[in-house]
């Protein structure tokens, strides 16, 4: 039951992009086409799930016993960057097709705040290993949902009659804010349960 | 002291070294052999991963260029400088051919071509094309909605008075505008060729004249005026064969509708340097316009009012005694 709540919460209620405002950079940068948005979201989901597990292990088995839990941020960045590089190499060697699909997006998200954010939130909420994994994957799915939907909106914006001053980026920001307000509707969904 | 500074340094340093070793090992163990050209190309690309080329970052573009799927001029950031470097890597001869520029073959601007209806659809030439060939009275001409302008990564094409105009300084001949133009009225032309036919209307003369104030009526006068067989009328419209055109501008001079455009101020004149001239008469024999006179073994002279600057004498003179200015 709790796992279900965690995943629903990560996707809708505490959506990383639209409620917690993490990972805004790729959200706006890679959302011009649905194709690229899908590639990016697969890579993010993958890395978030992986980073959640590894960072949880680093926190519990390395940082906490040493009493240096406050070095979390630096340690996690280090872990995530190293991990993504490693995964990229392995994927490139073992599955060229997957590498083609993830392509440039893997290295782009090494220092993404959403990935770091999910790792730190897992520790803050004192999740166990499974819960961390679920939260990581859920957060990734939430990111995917937001970016793919937004890419669809932006593709339509290209063809819409938009006042000259708002063309391009400004209208994307306005659309993103409306999106975010819409997602606020999910808040309080589980207030009695969580 | 040790606990607050030393321990974190050692632990994080240790982690960093551990990851370093793992990555170093992985880079050997999982090394994938790539085309060395890809690496070379990747090194000269700007590396900003801006996506301006339409590929997912510089790596993807490097691969596409190396495999021949993208032209060396694809990167809009590096421009022509980068293209020259890539030409060396790819073994393509970038410098040997003359620079080409895109030109819009239409002069149906707001003054010349009337609107047959008021177009209120999305600002896109392809969309307008589907509505009875666009709002302009001529269905062959530029719709002026700027699909090419938005496509151009070099800011080299603009809508001026209702038609697209190429800025030849900025144009890199990337052909993107040619690919998107639904009318097919943009073509690549060597930059030195100054004479242009500004019409693609394939209707008969009368219909053309009704559609646009300036338009080729296929009268054949230019064909007769051209002494180099460089202009032909096909499908009721004149076309210049730029491999034969020598910029003599005779066609533009005789064109009754002024559809053939040439800037007569750019017209050069031949000029004989008397000290070098040996009177071989080769120049006067090669002149199609009887603009050079002079006796055998005597100094030759160019008749300014007859010379049209075609440069034939300049090319043929064995003593380099002719200048074009």
């Amino acid at each position: 039951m709790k796992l279900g709540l965690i995943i629903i919460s990560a996707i809708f209620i505490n959506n990383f992009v639209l409620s917690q405002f993490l990972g805004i950079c790729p959200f706006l940068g890679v959302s011009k086409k649905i194709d690229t948005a899908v590639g990016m979201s697969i890579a993010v989901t993958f890395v978030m799930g992986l980073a959640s597990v590894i960072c949880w292990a680093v926190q519990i088995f390395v940082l906490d016993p040493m009493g240096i839990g406050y070095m979390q941020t630096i340690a996690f960045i280090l872990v995530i960057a190293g991990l993504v590089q490693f995964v990229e190499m392995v994927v490139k060697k073992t599955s060229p097709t997957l590498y083609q699909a993830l392509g440039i997006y893997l290295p782009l998200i090494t220092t993404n705040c959403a990935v770091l954010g999910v790792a730190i939130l897992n520790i803050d909420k004192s999740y166990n290993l499974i819960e961390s994994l679920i939260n990581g994957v859920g957060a990734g799915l939430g990111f995917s949902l937001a970016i793919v939907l937004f890419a669809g909106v932006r593709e339509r914006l290209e063809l819409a009659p938009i006042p000259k001053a708002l063309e391009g980026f400004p209208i994307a920001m306005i659309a993103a804010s409306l999106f975010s307000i819409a997602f606020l509707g999910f808040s309080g969904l589980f207030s009695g349960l969580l | 002291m040790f606990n607050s500074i030393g321990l974190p340094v050692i632990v994080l340093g240790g982690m960093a070294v551990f990851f370093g070793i793992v990555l170093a090992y992985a880079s050997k163990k999982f090394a994938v052999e790539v085309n060395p050209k890809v690496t070379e190309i990747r090194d000269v690309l700007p590396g900003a991963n801006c996506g301006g080329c339409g590929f997912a970052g510089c790596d993807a573009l490097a691969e596409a260029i190396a495999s021949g799927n993208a032209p060396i001029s694809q990167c809009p950031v590096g421009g022509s400088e980068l293209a020259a470097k890539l030409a060396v890597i790819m073994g393509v001869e970038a410098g040997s051919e003359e620079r080409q520029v895109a030109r819009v073959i239409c002069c149906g601007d707001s003054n010349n071509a009337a609107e047959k209806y008021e177009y209120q659809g999305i600002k896109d030439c392809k969309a307008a094309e589907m509505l009875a060939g666009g709002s302009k009275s001529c269905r062959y001409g530029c719709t002026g909605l700027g699909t090419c302008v938005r496509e151009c990564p070099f800011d080299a094409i603009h809508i001026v008075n209702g038609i697209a105009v190429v800025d030849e300084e900025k144009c890199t001949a990337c052909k993107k505008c040619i690919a998107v133009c639904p009318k097919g009225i943009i073509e690549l032309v060597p930059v030195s060729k100054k004479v242009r036919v500004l019409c693609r209307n394939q209707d008969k003369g009368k219909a053309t004249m009704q559609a646009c104030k300036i338009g080729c009526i296929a009268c054949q006068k230019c064909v007769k005026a051209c002494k180099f067989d460089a202009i032909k009328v096909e499908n009721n419209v004149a076309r210049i064969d730029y491999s034969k055109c020598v910029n003599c501008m005779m066609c533009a001079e005789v064109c009754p509708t002024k559809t053939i455009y040439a800037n007569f101020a750019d017209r050069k004149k031949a000029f004989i340097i008397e000290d070098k001239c040996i009177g071989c008469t080769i120049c006067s024999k090669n002149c199609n316009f009887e603009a050079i006179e002079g006796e055998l073994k005597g100094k030759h002279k160019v008749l300014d009012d007859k010379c049209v600057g075609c440069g034939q004498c300049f090319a043929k003179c064995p003593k380099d005694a002719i200048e074009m200015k």
Side-chain angles (χ1 to χ4, degrees), chain A residues 82-113:
Chain A
L83 176 72
V84 173
Q85 289 293 322
F86 181 73
V87 168
E88 194 192 358
M89 285 183 212
V90 174
V91 170
K92 195 172 184 180
K93 180 76 177 179
T94 53
S95 168
T97 351
L98 184 61
Y99 181 77
Q100 285 289 326
L102 299 183
I104 185 74
Y105 306 117
L106 267 181
L108 272 183
I109 48 181
T110 43
T111 50
N112 188 300
C113 64

PDB file of all heavy atoms in Angstrom, chain A residues 82-113:
ATOM      1  N   GLY A  82      29.705   9.769 -11.672  1.00  0.00           N
ATOM      2  CA  GLY A  82      30.479   8.563 -11.984  1.00  0.00           C
ATOM      3  C   GLY A  82      29.590   7.458 -12.521  1.00  0.00           C
ATOM      4  O   GLY A  82      29.899   6.804 -13.519  1.00  0.00           O
ATOM      5  N   LEU A  83      28.443   7.301 -11.871  1.00  0.00           N
ATOM      6  CA  LEU A  83      27.507   6.244 -12.247  1.00  0.00           C
ATOM      7  C   LEU A  83      27.032   6.406 -13.684  1.00  0.00           C
ATOM      8  O   LEU A  83      27.038   5.462 -14.476  1.00  0.00           O
ATOM      9  CB  LEU A  83      26.312   6.302 -11.292  1.00  0.00           C
ATOM     10  CG  LEU A  83      25.173   5.336 -11.569  1.00  0.00           C
ATOM     11  CD1 LEU A  83      25.614   3.935 -11.222  1.00  0.00           C
ATOM     12  CD2 LEU A  83      23.939   5.724 -10.795  1.00  0.00           C
ATOM     13  N   VAL A  84      26.645   7.636 -14.031  1.00  0.00           N
ATOM     14  CA  VAL A  84      26.108   7.859 -15.366  1.00  0.00           C
ATOM     15  C   VAL A  84      27.176   7.598 -16.425  1.00  0.00           C
ATOM     16  O   VAL A  84      26.911   6.970 -17.454  1.00  0.00           O
ATOM     17  CB  VAL A  84      25.538   9.289 -15.496  1.00  0.00           C
ATOM     18  CG1 VAL A  84      25.148   9.566 -16.923  1.00  0.00           C
ATOM     19  CG2 VAL A  84      24.340   9.458 -14.591  1.00  0.00           C
ATOM     20  N   GLN A  85      28.395   8.060 -16.157  1.00  0.00           N
ATOM     21  CA  GLN A  85      29.485   7.803 -17.099  1.00  0.00           C
ATOM     22  C   GLN A  85      29.667   6.301 -17.303  1.00  0.00           C
ATOM     23  O   GLN A  85      29.834   5.812 -18.421  1.00  0.00           O
ATOM     24  CB  GLN A  85      30.795   8.405 -16.572  1.00  0.00           C
ATOM     25  CG  GLN A  85      30.835   9.913 -16.599  1.00  0.00           C
ATOM     26  CD  GLN A  85      30.849  10.446 -18.017  1.00  0.00           C
ATOM     27  OE1 GLN A  85      31.476   9.877 -18.886  1.00  0.00           O
ATOM     28  NE2 GLN A  85      30.132  11.522 -18.256  1.00  0.00           N
ATOM     29  N   PHE A  86      29.649   5.578 -16.165  1.00  0.00           N
ATOM     30  CA  PHE A  86      29.845   4.134 -16.224  1.00  0.00           C
ATOM     31  C   PHE A  86      28.722   3.475 -17.028  1.00  0.00           C
ATOM     32  O   PHE A  86      28.968   2.679 -17.929  1.00  0.00           O
ATOM     33  CB  PHE A  86      29.892   3.581 -14.794  1.00  0.00           C
ATOM     34  CG  PHE A  86      30.117   2.109 -14.729  1.00  0.00           C
ATOM     35  CD1 PHE A  86      31.376   1.586 -15.011  1.00  0.00           C
ATOM     36  CD2 PHE A  86      29.092   1.237 -14.401  1.00  0.00           C
ATOM     37  CE1 PHE A  86      31.587   0.223 -14.963  1.00  0.00           C
ATOM     38  CE2 PHE A  86      29.299  -0.123 -14.356  1.00  0.00           C
ATOM     39  CZ  PHE A  86      30.552  -0.637 -14.633  1.00  0.00           C
ATOM     40  N   VAL A  87      27.494   3.865 -16.695  1.00  0.00           N
ATOM     41  CA  VAL A  87      26.345   3.282 -17.396  1.00  0.00           C
ATOM     42  C   VAL A  87      26.430   3.578 -18.884  1.00  0.00           C
ATOM     43  O   VAL A  87      26.175   2.714 -19.724  1.00  0.00           O
ATOM     44  CB  VAL A  87      25.026   3.828 -16.810  1.00  0.00           C
ATOM     45  CG1 VAL A  87      23.856   3.478 -17.710  1.00  0.00           C
ATOM     46  CG2 VAL A  87      24.804   3.267 -15.427  1.00  0.00           C
ATOM     47  N   GLU A  88      26.839   4.800 -19.210  1.00  0.00           N
ATOM     48  CA  GLU A  88      26.928   5.174 -20.623  1.00  0.00           C
ATOM     49  C   GLU A  88      27.889   4.242 -21.363  1.00  0.00           C
ATOM     50  O   GLU A  88      27.604   3.768 -22.461  1.00  0.00           O
ATOM     51  CB  GLU A  88      27.373   6.628 -20.761  1.00  0.00           C
ATOM     52  CG  GLU A  88      27.159   7.147 -22.175  1.00  0.00           C
ATOM     53  CD  GLU A  88      27.838   8.477 -22.428  1.00  0.00           C
ATOM     54  OE1 GLU A  88      28.452   9.025 -21.513  1.00  0.00           O
ATOM     55  OE2 GLU A  88      27.755   8.941 -23.571  1.00  0.00           O
ATOM     56  N   MET A  89      29.044   3.992 -20.738  1.00  0.00           N
ATOM     57  CA  MET A  89      30.028   3.116 -21.380  1.00  0.00           C
ATOM     58  C   MET A  89      29.479   1.710 -21.564  1.00  0.00           C
ATOM     59  O   MET A  89      29.629   1.097 -22.624  1.00  0.00           O
ATOM     60  CB  MET A  89      31.294   3.053 -20.533  1.00  0.00           C
ATOM     61  CG  MET A  89      32.153   4.290 -20.627  1.00  0.00           C
ATOM     62  SD  MET A  89      33.619   4.018 -19.641  1.00  0.00           S
ATOM     63  CE  MET A  89      33.964   5.658 -19.087  1.00  0.00           C
ATOM     64  N   VAL A  90      28.853   1.212 -20.490  1.00  0.00           N
ATOM     65  CA  VAL A  90      28.335  -0.157 -20.559  1.00  0.00           C
ATOM     66  C   VAL A  90      27.260  -0.261 -21.641  1.00  0.00           C
ATOM     67  O   VAL A  90      27.267  -1.176 -22.473  1.00  0.00           O
ATOM     68  CB  VAL A  90      27.752  -0.594 -19.191  1.00  0.00           C
ATOM     69  CG1 VAL A  90      27.092  -1.948 -19.300  1.00  0.00           C
ATOM     70  CG2 VAL A  90      28.858  -0.618 -18.157  1.00  0.00           C
ATOM     71  N   VAL A  91      26.354   0.718 -21.647  1.00  0.00           N
ATOM     72  CA  VAL A  91      25.266   0.685 -22.629  1.00  0.00           C
ATOM     73  C   VAL A  91      25.825   0.769 -24.042  1.00  0.00           C
ATOM     74  O   VAL A  91      25.398   0.057 -24.948  1.00  0.00           O
ATOM     75  CB  VAL A  91      24.266   1.828 -22.363  1.00  0.00           C
ATOM     76  CG1 VAL A  91      23.283   1.956 -23.512  1.00  0.00           C
ATOM     77  CG2 VAL A  91      23.523   1.577 -21.072  1.00  0.00           C
ATOM     78  N   LYS A  92      26.825   1.629 -24.216  1.00  0.00           N
ATOM     79  CA  LYS A  92      27.407   1.815 -25.539  1.00  0.00           C
ATOM     80  C   LYS A  92      27.989   0.504 -26.060  1.00  0.00           C
ATOM     81  O   LYS A  92      27.873   0.172 -27.241  1.00  0.00           O
ATOM     82  CB  LYS A  92      28.498   2.882 -25.473  1.00  0.00           C
ATOM     83  CG  LYS A  92      28.927   3.404 -26.827  1.00  0.00           C
ATOM     84  CD  LYS A  92      29.869   4.586 -26.660  1.00  0.00           C
ATOM     85  CE  LYS A  92      30.226   5.180 -28.001  1.00  0.00           C
ATOM     86  NZ  LYS A  92      31.133   6.319 -27.880  1.00  0.00           N
ATOM     87  N   LYS A  93      28.603  -0.241 -25.131  1.00  0.00           N
ATOM     88  CA  LYS A  93      29.235  -1.495 -25.540  1.00  0.00           C
ATOM     89  C   LYS A  93      28.204  -2.601 -25.754  1.00  0.00           C
ATOM     90  O   LYS A  93      28.250  -3.331 -26.739  1.00  0.00           O
ATOM     91  CB  LYS A  93      30.240  -1.936 -24.470  1.00  0.00           C
ATOM     92  CG  LYS A  93      30.963  -3.236 -24.771  1.00  0.00           C
ATOM     93  CD  LYS A  93      32.031  -3.007 -25.806  1.00  0.00           C
ATOM     94  CE  LYS A  93      32.823  -4.288 -26.081  1.00  0.00           C
ATOM     95  NZ  LYS A  93      33.838  -4.037 -27.112  1.00  0.00           N
ATOM     96  N   THR A  94      27.271  -2.699 -24.791  1.00  0.00           N
ATOM     97  CA  THR A  94      26.397  -3.870 -24.804  1.00  0.00           C
ATOM     98  C   THR A  94      25.156  -3.681 -25.673  1.00  0.00           C
ATOM     99  O   THR A  94      24.680  -4.637 -26.260  1.00  0.00           O
ATOM    100  CB  THR A  94      25.947  -4.223 -23.377  1.00  0.00           C
ATOM    101  OG1 THR A  94      25.399  -3.045 -22.801  1.00  0.00           O
ATOM    102  CG2 THR A  94      27.097  -4.712 -22.530  1.00  0.00           C
ATOM    103  N   SER A  95      24.625  -2.457 -25.722  1.00  0.00           N
ATOM    104  CA  SER A  95      23.392  -2.279 -26.488  1.00  0.00           C
ATOM    105  C   SER A  95      23.432  -0.990 -27.299  1.00  0.00           C
ATOM    106  O   SER A  95      22.963   0.054 -26.847  1.00  0.00           O
ATOM    107  CB  SER A  95      22.186  -2.259 -25.541  1.00  0.00           C
ATOM    108  OG  SER A  95      21.067  -1.810 -26.244  1.00  0.00           O
ATOM    109  N   PRO A  96      24.008  -1.064 -28.498  1.00  0.00           N
ATOM    110  CA  PRO A  96      24.084   0.140 -29.334  1.00  0.00           C
ATOM    111  C   PRO A  96      22.717   0.758 -29.622  1.00  0.00           C
ATOM    112  O   PRO A  96      22.596   1.976 -29.727  1.00  0.00           O
ATOM    113  CB  PRO A  96      24.721  -0.366 -30.630  1.00  0.00           C
ATOM    114  CG  PRO A  96      25.436  -1.603 -30.248  1.00  0.00           C
ATOM    115  CD  PRO A  96      24.643  -2.209 -29.129  1.00  0.00           C
ATOM    116  N   THR A  97      21.672  -0.082 -29.693  1.00  0.00           N
ATOM    117  CA  THR A  97      20.330   0.461 -29.984  1.00  0.00           C
ATOM    118  C   THR A  97      19.866   1.357 -28.846  1.00  0.00           C
ATOM    119  O   THR A  97      19.391   2.466 -29.083  1.00  0.00           O
ATOM    120  CB  THR A  97      19.303  -0.679 -30.139  1.00  0.00           C
ATOM    121  OG1 THR A  97      19.993  -1.911 -30.171  1.00  0.00           O
ATOM    122  CG2 THR A  97      18.457  -0.481 -31.344  1.00  0.00           C
ATOM    123  N   LEU A  98      20.025   0.862 -27.620  1.00  0.00           N
ATOM    124  CA  LEU A  98      19.623   1.652 -26.461  1.00  0.00           C
ATOM    125  C   LEU A  98      20.468   2.919 -26.391  1.00  0.00           C
ATOM    126  O   LEU A  98      19.982   4.003 -26.081  1.00  0.00           O
ATOM    127  CB  LEU A  98      19.781   0.833 -25.177  1.00  0.00           C
ATOM    128  CG  LEU A  98      19.298   1.492 -23.893  1.00  0.00           C
ATOM    129  CD1 LEU A  98      17.816   1.781 -23.981  1.00  0.00           C
ATOM    130  CD2 LEU A  98      19.589   0.625 -22.684  1.00  0.00           C
ATOM    131  N   TYR A  99      21.765   2.767 -26.733  1.00  0.00           N
ATOM    132  CA  TYR A  99      22.655   3.927 -26.700  1.00  0.00           C
ATOM    133  C   TYR A  99      22.184   4.982 -27.704  1.00  0.00           C
ATOM    134  O   TYR A  99      22.185   6.164 -27.417  1.00  0.00           O
ATOM    135  CB  TYR A  99      24.091   3.505 -27.007  1.00  0.00           C
ATOM    136  CG  TYR A  99      25.060   4.659 -26.969  1.00  0.00           C
ATOM    137  CD1 TYR A  99      25.497   5.176 -25.743  1.00  0.00           C
ATOM    138  CD2 TYR A  99      25.540   5.238 -28.126  1.00  0.00           C
ATOM    139  CE1 TYR A  99      26.361   6.242 -25.685  1.00  0.00           C
ATOM    140  CE2 TYR A  99      26.410   6.312 -28.080  1.00  0.00           C
ATOM    141  CZ  TYR A  99      26.822   6.809 -26.856  1.00  0.00           C
ATOM    142  OH  TYR A  99      27.672   7.869 -26.819  1.00  0.00           O
ATOM    143  N   GLN A 100      21.763   4.494 -28.883  1.00  0.00           N
ATOM    144  CA  GLN A 100      21.241   5.430 -29.888  1.00  0.00           C
ATOM    145  C   GLN A 100      20.029   6.182 -29.351  1.00  0.00           C
ATOM    146  O   GLN A 100      19.876   7.373 -29.576  1.00  0.00           O
ATOM    147  CB  GLN A 100      20.833   4.669 -31.159  1.00  0.00           C
ATOM    148  CG  GLN A 100      21.999   4.213 -32.011  1.00  0.00           C
ATOM    149  CD  GLN A 100      22.679   5.379 -32.699  1.00  0.00           C
ATOM    150  OE1 GLN A 100      22.030   6.338 -33.067  1.00  0.00           O
ATOM    151  NE2 GLN A 100      23.999   5.308 -32.850  1.00  0.00           N
ATOM    152  N   ALA A 101      19.175   5.442 -28.638  1.00  0.00           N
ATOM    153  CA  ALA A 101      17.939   6.051 -28.148  1.00  0.00           C
ATOM    154  C   ALA A 101      18.223   7.068 -27.038  1.00  0.00           C
ATOM    155  O   ALA A 101      17.676   8.154 -27.024  1.00  0.00           O
ATOM    156  CB  ALA A 101      16.983   4.969 -27.646  1.00  0.00           C
ATOM    157  N   LEU A 102      19.099   6.685 -26.111  1.00  0.00           N
ATOM    158  CA  LEU A 102      19.400   7.600 -25.001  1.00  0.00           C
ATOM    159  C   LEU A 102      20.375   8.677 -25.443  1.00  0.00           C
ATOM    160  O   LEU A 102      20.267   9.827 -25.056  1.00  0.00           O
ATOM    161  CB  LEU A 102      19.977   6.817 -23.818  1.00  0.00           C
ATOM    162  CG  LEU A 102      19.057   5.761 -23.221  1.00  0.00           C
ATOM    163  CD1 LEU A 102      19.715   5.114 -22.023  1.00  0.00           C
ATOM    164  CD2 LEU A 102      17.735   6.369 -22.790  1.00  0.00           C
ATOM    165  N   GLY A 103      21.352   8.241 -26.270  1.00  0.00           N
ATOM    166  CA  GLY A 103      22.287   9.159 -26.913  1.00  0.00           C
ATOM    167  C   GLY A 103      22.845  10.236 -26.014  1.00  0.00           C
ATOM    168  O   GLY A 103      23.409   9.964 -24.957  1.00  0.00           O
ATOM    169  N   ILE A 104      22.618  11.464 -26.426  1.00  0.00           N
ATOM    170  CA  ILE A 104      23.201  12.622 -25.763  1.00  0.00           C
ATOM    171  C   ILE A 104      22.581  12.859 -24.386  1.00  0.00           C
ATOM    172  O   ILE A 104      23.162  13.486 -23.523  1.00  0.00           O
ATOM    173  CB  ILE A 104      23.017  13.858 -26.658  1.00  0.00           C
ATOM    174  CG1 ILE A 104      23.709  15.097 -26.090  1.00  0.00           C
ATOM    175  CG2 ILE A 104      21.551  14.153 -26.878  1.00  0.00           C
ATOM    176  CD1 ILE A 104      25.181  15.062 -26.228  1.00  0.00           C
ATOM    177  N   TYR A 105      21.379  12.304 -24.169  1.00  0.00           N
ATOM    178  CA  TYR A 105      20.646  12.683 -22.961  1.00  0.00           C
ATOM    179  C   TYR A 105      21.299  12.162 -21.689  1.00  0.00           C
ATOM    180  O   TYR A 105      21.205  12.789 -20.647  1.00  0.00           O
ATOM    181  CB  TYR A 105      19.202  12.197 -23.050  1.00  0.00           C
ATOM    182  CG  TYR A 105      18.542  12.667 -24.311  1.00  0.00           C
ATOM    183  CD1 TYR A 105      18.101  11.786 -25.275  1.00  0.00           C
ATOM    184  CD2 TYR A 105      18.414  14.032 -24.547  1.00  0.00           C
ATOM    185  CE1 TYR A 105      17.534  12.238 -26.445  1.00  0.00           C
ATOM    186  CE2 TYR A 105      17.850  14.491 -25.712  1.00  0.00           C
ATOM    187  CZ  TYR A 105      17.409  13.589 -26.659  1.00  0.00           C
ATOM    188  OH  TYR A 105      16.861  14.045 -27.807  1.00  0.00           O
ATOM    189  N   LEU A 106      21.945  10.998 -21.773  1.00  0.00           N
ATOM    190  CA  LEU A 106      22.565  10.447 -20.570  1.00  0.00           C
ATOM    191  C   LEU A 106      23.554  11.418 -19.944  1.00  0.00           C
ATOM    192  O   LEU A 106      23.364  11.820 -18.796  1.00  0.00           O
ATOM    193  CB  LEU A 106      23.237   9.112 -20.905  1.00  0.00           C
ATOM    194  CG  LEU A 106      22.373   7.873 -20.688  1.00  0.00           C
ATOM    195  CD1 LEU A 106      23.159   6.628 -21.024  1.00  0.00           C
ATOM    196  CD2 LEU A 106      21.881   7.801 -19.257  1.00  0.00           C
ATOM    197  N   PRO A 107      24.623  11.825 -20.657  1.00  0.00           N
ATOM    198  CA  PRO A 107      25.563  12.760 -20.023  1.00  0.00           C
ATOM    199  C   PRO A 107      24.929  14.091 -19.639  1.00  0.00           C
ATOM    200  O   PRO A 107      25.358  14.724 -18.678  1.00  0.00           O
ATOM    201  CB  PRO A 107      26.651  12.957 -21.078  1.00  0.00           C
ATOM    202  CG  PRO A 107      26.127  12.403 -22.327  1.00  0.00           C
ATOM    203  CD  PRO A 107      25.099  11.400 -21.973  1.00  0.00           C
ATOM    204  N   LEU A 108      23.874  14.480 -20.345  1.00  0.00           N
ATOM    205  CA  LEU A 108      23.238  15.764 -20.031  1.00  0.00           C
ATOM    206  C   LEU A 108      22.624  15.786 -18.637  1.00  0.00           C
ATOM    207  O   LEU A 108      22.494  16.843 -18.033  1.00  0.00           O
ATOM    208  CB  LEU A 108      22.132  16.068 -21.049  1.00  0.00           C
ATOM    209  CG  LEU A 108      22.519  16.801 -22.327  1.00  0.00           C
ATOM    210  CD1 LEU A 108      21.282  17.068 -23.152  1.00  0.00           C
ATOM    211  CD2 LEU A 108      23.236  18.091 -22.025  1.00  0.00           C
ATOM    212  N   ILE A 109      22.201  14.618 -18.145  1.00  0.00           N
ATOM    213  CA  ILE A 109      21.492  14.630 -16.865  1.00  0.00           C
ATOM    214  C   ILE A 109      22.381  14.253 -15.699  1.00  0.00           C
ATOM    215  O   ILE A 109      21.905  14.074 -14.599  1.00  0.00           O
ATOM    216  CB  ILE A 109      20.260  13.701 -16.899  1.00  0.00           C
ATOM    217  CG1 ILE A 109      20.639  12.364 -17.458  1.00  0.00           C
ATOM    218  CG2 ILE A 109      19.135  14.327 -17.646  1.00  0.00           C
ATOM    219  CD1 ILE A 109      19.489  11.422 -17.543  1.00  0.00           C
ATOM    220  N   THR A 110      23.696  14.166 -15.925  1.00  0.00           N
ATOM    221  CA  THR A 110      24.575  13.820 -14.799  1.00  0.00           C
ATOM    222  C   THR A 110      24.440  14.808 -13.664  1.00  0.00           C
ATOM    223  O   THR A 110      24.463  14.438 -12.503  1.00  0.00           O
ATOM    224  CB  THR A 110      26.051  13.793 -15.228  1.00  0.00           C
ATOM    225  OG1 THR A 110      26.275  14.921 -16.049  1.00  0.00           O
ATOM    226  CG2 THR A 110      26.396  12.531 -15.927  1.00  0.00           C
ATOM    227  N   THR A 111      24.327  16.081 -13.986  1.00  0.00           N
ATOM    228  CA  THR A 111      24.294  17.084 -12.925  1.00  0.00           C
ATOM    229  C   THR A 111      22.916  17.714 -12.818  1.00  0.00           C
ATOM    230  O   THR A 111      22.770  18.839 -12.395  1.00  0.00           O
ATOM    231  CB  THR A 111      25.328  18.180 -13.205  1.00  0.00           C
ATOM    232  OG1 THR A 111      25.141  18.619 -14.545  1.00  0.00           O
ATOM    233  CG2 THR A 111      26.722  17.653 -13.023  1.00  0.00           C
ATOM    234  N   ASN A 112      21.897  16.929 -13.198  1.00  0.00           N
ATOM    235  CA  ASN A 112      20.547  17.466 -13.140  1.00  0.00           C
ATOM    236  C   ASN A 112      20.051  17.513 -11.697  1.00  0.00           C
ATOM    237  O   ASN A 112      20.202  16.564 -10.939  1.00  0.00           O
ATOM    238  CB  ASN A 112      19.642  16.562 -13.977  1.00  0.00           C
ATOM    239  CG  ASN A 112      18.283  17.131 -14.141  1.00  0.00           C
ATOM    240  OD1 ASN A 112      17.595  17.354 -13.156  1.00  0.00           O
ATOM    241  ND2 ASN A 112      17.891  17.392 -15.355  1.00  0.00           N
ATOM    242  N   CYS A 113      19.423  18.625 -11.313  1.00  0.00           N
ATOM    243  CA  CYS A 113      19.027  18.767  -9.916  1.00  0.00           C
ATOM    244  C   CYS A 113      17.907  17.809  -9.548  1.00  0.00           C
ATOM    245  O   CYS A 113      17.762  17.436  -8.391  1.00  0.00           O
ATOM    246  CB  CYS A 113      18.636  20.196  -9.617  1.00  0.00           C
ATOM    247  SG  CYS A 113      17.199  20.757 -10.500  1.00  0.00           S
TER     248      CYS A 113
END
